[in-house]
Each structure stands twice: as structure tokens, then as C-alpha cells.
Amino acid sequence: MDQSSKPDEASSFRDIGDLKGQTAVITGSTSGIGLALARAVASHGGDVVLNGLGDAAEIERTRAELESSSGARVLYHPADMTKGEEIADMVAFAERELGRLDILVNNAGIQYVEAVENFPTDKWEQIIAINLSSAFYATRAAIPLMKAQGRGRIVNMASAHGLVASPFKSAYVAAKHGIIGFTKTVALEVAQDNVTCNAICPGFVETPIVAKQIADQARTRNMSEEDVLKTVILGSQPTKRFVTTQELTGIFLYLVSDLGASANGASFSIDGGWTAQ
């Protein structure tokens, strides 16, 4: 086939920002990164199932505001990320109420900072369940729906700590390293089904989980919160500033678009150069 007879591939691609007719499930989306991604989906025409913890009235206000401001359908499912059956029900809820599932974002996560020898065993189990196992249960439920549709995008929110370690974060680092490996395995399994699975690895983003971590790090390291912010948190990032949720939204929209079809099994570092050191 000569160049003149090749189809215009560009004409078959949607714009990166076109999510009309698509449905996303985003775990841990009542605040922080997850909520930013939910706003991005809704503002670009996609329907969203929110999930996460918080005051019920505040969650409903967030849901209603997002729905009214975007014109998209925005629902909420209260699945507990430590319970596989509830996670599977959340995925089924999306298809039942919104008709399909195109995008799954495994974003839910918690943190606890302590030395290994003093690390509470219940915190270890909770972090592994929420930060790692929940992604397995959601992905397990989502893949059959995506295969049946002939298209799907799975985005796992990992971390710079999925690629490198820091002291006093054994459970979190273990879970995020696990997410990277899980991402690669899923990508290989669905590669011929027009389904992709990728990980985004942010550096420190100014979110509630990081705000709490500053206080915990100050306690564990016997430092002031100001010193923790300067030398421990932003000290890791050569830019010396937080990553913004808008910067994460940019790579996310690419990955869920048609232009991201050949990005599969990859981990995208959005960390101001942290893991380049």
C-alpha cells in the first residue's frame, strides 16, 4: 500500500478532551487527586461514579455541584475499599446505572508513617487492602465489561514511591511497588482487547493525605513541620514545589484517549524529577 492509499488514521481518533458517552469509576474521588480527575471527566462530557470517605452531606453537595456544573451524570457508590464484594458491586452499579464502563481509576489510598519495628499490624493490613488489593478487585470486575465493549482504559494511581523508597513508609511503598507490577501484568493480559492499563506515579501533591503526612513525619523524625516540608517533602522534588492536580489531569486525559492506545503497562513519573536522581 502506498502512502496515498493509506487511511487517514487521525480522522478516526477522538480529541483528547472528548469523553462524551463514556463512563468512569474513580475510587477515592471525594477529595484530592481523585476528585480532580472526576472533575476532568465530567467537564469533558463523561459520566462519573464517585467513591470515597467523608461526611455524607458534604459528599452529596460535591456530587450535586459536579453534576450541575458539568451536565454529566454523577453518581456516588459507598464501596468500602477493604471489601472485595463491595468493590465488585460498585463496578456493576456503574454499568447498571450508566450503561457501560469505559474508564477505571484505582486511586483510593491511605498512608501511615512509622518505623518497621513499631509499625502497627492493623495499619499494614489496611494499607495493603486499600492501596493494592482494592485495585485487584475493581480491575477483576471491570475487565469483562471492557472486553465486551471492545475498549477500556484502566489507570492506576501509583506514586514515586512505586519506583523508589523512603524510610518509615514500608506499607505504602510495598503497596505502590505492587501496583506497578500489577499494572504490567494486567496490561499484558488485555493487550489484544483494545484495553490498556497504565500507572501514574505522582510526586508530592498538595492533598489532605500529604498534609497529614507532614505532621506524622515531624513526629517520627523529631523535626518541625516547616523543616519536614522543606527538607523531606519538597526536598525530594528538584522543582521544590508540589505537583499540581492539573498536571496529573493532563497525562490522565491522554491515557484514556484514543491517542493513548499504545501506552500500555507503563508508569508515568509526574514528580518534578524526583525519580531521575
Side-chain angles (χ1 to χ4, degrees):
M1 181 185 292
D2 62 34
Q3 284 295 116
S4 62
S5 62
K6 284 186 178 180
D8 181 6
E9 292 183 356
S11 66
S12 67
F13 284 103
R14 290 186 176 201
D15 292 337
I16 284 181
D18 183 6
L19 297 178
K20 293 180 181 67
Q22 297 193 41
T23 293
V25 169
I26 306 176
T27 67
S29 52
T30 51
S31 67
I33 293 171
L35 180 55
L37 298 184
R39 290 189 185 283
V41 170
S43 68
H44 287 86
D47 297 331
V48 186
V49 175
L50 300 174
N51 160 266
L53 301 176
D55 176 75
E58 181 60 32
I59 290 172
E60 173 54 24
R61 281 192 292 272
T62 299
R63 186 208 64 76
E65 181 276 324
L66 184 53
E67 187 171 72
S68 64
S69 65
S70 66
R73 290 191 66 190
V74 180
L75 307 180
Y76 172 75
H77 192 286
D80 182 334
M81 291 293 105
T82 67
K83 297 179 179 177
E85 66 276 11
E86 293 189 16
I87 296 169
D89 183 69
M90 174 185 64
V91 172
F93 169 83
E95 185 193 33
R96 184 170 66 249
E97 297 297 323
L98 298 173
R100 55 188 298 114
L101 176 61
D102 303 274
I103 301 165
L104 171 65
V105 183
N106 292 307
N107 170 74
I110 60 171
Q111 175 67 282
Y112 191 82
V113 179
E114 185 56 88
V116 170
E117 67 266 30
N118 298 319
F119 209 97
T121 56
D122 62 329
K123 288 295 183 183
W124 173 276
E125 298 294 344
Q126 185 184 36
I127 289 171
I128 296 301
I130 294 172
N131 294 25
L132 177 58
S133 296
S134 69
F136 160 74
Y137 286 111
T139 302
R140 181 179 185 272
I143 284 176
L145 304 181
M146 292 178 173
K147 283 184 174 180
Q149 292 169 177
R151 187 186 188 280
R153 298 288 185 265
I154 301 166
V155 178
N156 295 323
M157 195 58 62
S159 168
H161 282 123
L163 302 169
V164 296
S166 292
F168 310 115
K169 299 180 182 179
S170 56
Y172 188 86
V173 170
K176 293 302 186 180
H177 272 66
I179 283 288
I180 298 296
F182 179 68
T183 297
K184 293 176 181 180
T185 297
V186 172
L188 295 176
E189 292 182 7
V190 299
Q192 296 184 43
D193 298 297
N194 199 24
V195 178
T196 66
C197 183
N198 292 286
I200 299 176
C201 300
F204 285 109
V205 184
E206 199 167 12
T207 62
I209 193 174
V210 170
K212 181 180 183 302
Q213 187 181 150
I214 292 172
D216 288 344
Q217 288 274 16
R219 170 184 53 80
T220 303
R221 295 171 180 265
N222 195 27
M223 297 170 62
S224 70
E225 292 190 14
E226 182 180 358
D227 285 343
V228 166
L229 178 61
K230 181 179 179 180
T231 66
V232 178
I233 304 296
L234 298 184
S236 302
Q237 297 181 176
T239 52
K240 304 306 178 188
R241 67 170 178 84
F242 284 109
V243 176
T244 70
T245 54
Q246 289 90 343
E247 289 163 345
L248 297 180
T249 296
I251 186 66
F252 167 74
L253 289 173
Y254 165 73
L255 290 175
V256 301
S257 76
D258 289 340
L259 293 175
S262 287
N264 195 32
S267 301
F268 293 85
S269 294
I270 313 295
D271 62 11
W274 177 353
T275 54
Q277 299 177 96

